[in-house]
């Protein structure tokens, strides 16, 4: 399964962005609504960090402490998309953001990258004045 993350860009501190994750055209028949989807980021010089996830089992959501209260993950099943709404952004949020999904369906989610099988190519988010 190939995923595509989009929506990144340059935003001022305090601003908002919405990232989207969907399947490639070749995998358009893969329905994300039954799969857990995680969002991760890698800041310059740092390791990959789990940001958020939404479970394929019950749409339960989880967030890293660093983004709790500012980021919201949600599905748009009509578009076979999982979105990450980010608000009150700070320079510390600058990173390449990736989405990932699991092979297994109807399962719980975590923000550990070891629990994901398929990854998107990443989209750059830069927060700067």
């Amino acid at each position: 399964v190939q995923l595509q993350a989009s929506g990144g860009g340059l935003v001022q501190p305090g601003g908002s962005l919405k990232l989207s994750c969907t399947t490639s055209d070749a995998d358009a028949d893969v329905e994300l609504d039954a799969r857990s989807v995680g969002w991760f980021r890698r800041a310059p010089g740092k390791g990959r960090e789990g940001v958020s996830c939404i479970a394929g089992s019950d749409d339960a959501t989880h967030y890293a402490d660093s983004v709790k209260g500012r980021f919201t993950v949600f599905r748009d099943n009509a578009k076979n998309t999982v979105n990450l709404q980010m608000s009150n952004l700070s320079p510390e949020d600058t990173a390449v953001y990736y989405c990932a999904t699991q092979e297994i369906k109807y399962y719980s989610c975590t923000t550990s990258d070891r629990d994901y099988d398929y990854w998107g190519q990443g989209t750059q988010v830069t927060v700067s004045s």
Side-chain angles (χ1 to χ4, degrees):
V1 177
Q2 291 186 332
L3 300 178
Q4 296 177 335
S6 62
L10 174 64
V11 63
Q12 292 186 341
S16 299
L17 276 177
K18 187 179 77 173
L19 306 183
S20 296
C21 177
T22 190
T23 57
S24 66
D25 290 342
D27 292 311
D29 60 334
V30 175
E31 296 178 338
L32 291 180
D33 62 351
R35 301 173 189 261
S36 296
V37 174
W39 283 96
F40 300 81
R41 66 186 181 186
R42 187 188 298 274
K46 295 186 177 180
R48 188 157 57 191
E49 175 191 15
V51 173
S52 180
C53 70
I54 185 165
S57 55
D58 59 0
D59 284 348
T61 57
H62 300 280
Y63 300 93
D65 288 343
S66 58
V67 307
K68 203 170 290 184
R70 301 188 298 121
F71 290 12
T72 302
V73 61
F74 61 99
R75 297 184 188 275
D76 184 345
N77 292 332
K79 297 181 180 179
N80 199 31
T81 296
V82 173
N83 299 307
L84 184 68
Q85 178 68 50
M86 308 185 296
S87 61
N88 194 21
L89 288 163
S90 72
E92 289 69 36
D93 296 313
T94 294
V96 178
Y97 283 72
Y98 302 86
C99 62
T101 193
Q102 299 174 345
E103 172 65 28
I104 193 171
K105 298 181 182 179
Y106 308 113
Y107 204 65
S108 59
C109 77
T110 75
T111 52
S112 170
D113 57 6
R114 295 173 298 178
D115 291 338
Y116 292 86
D117 304 296
Y118 306 108
W119 293 80
Q121 83 287 1
T123 185
Q124 175 70 48
V125 172
T126 302
V127 185
S128 175
S129 55

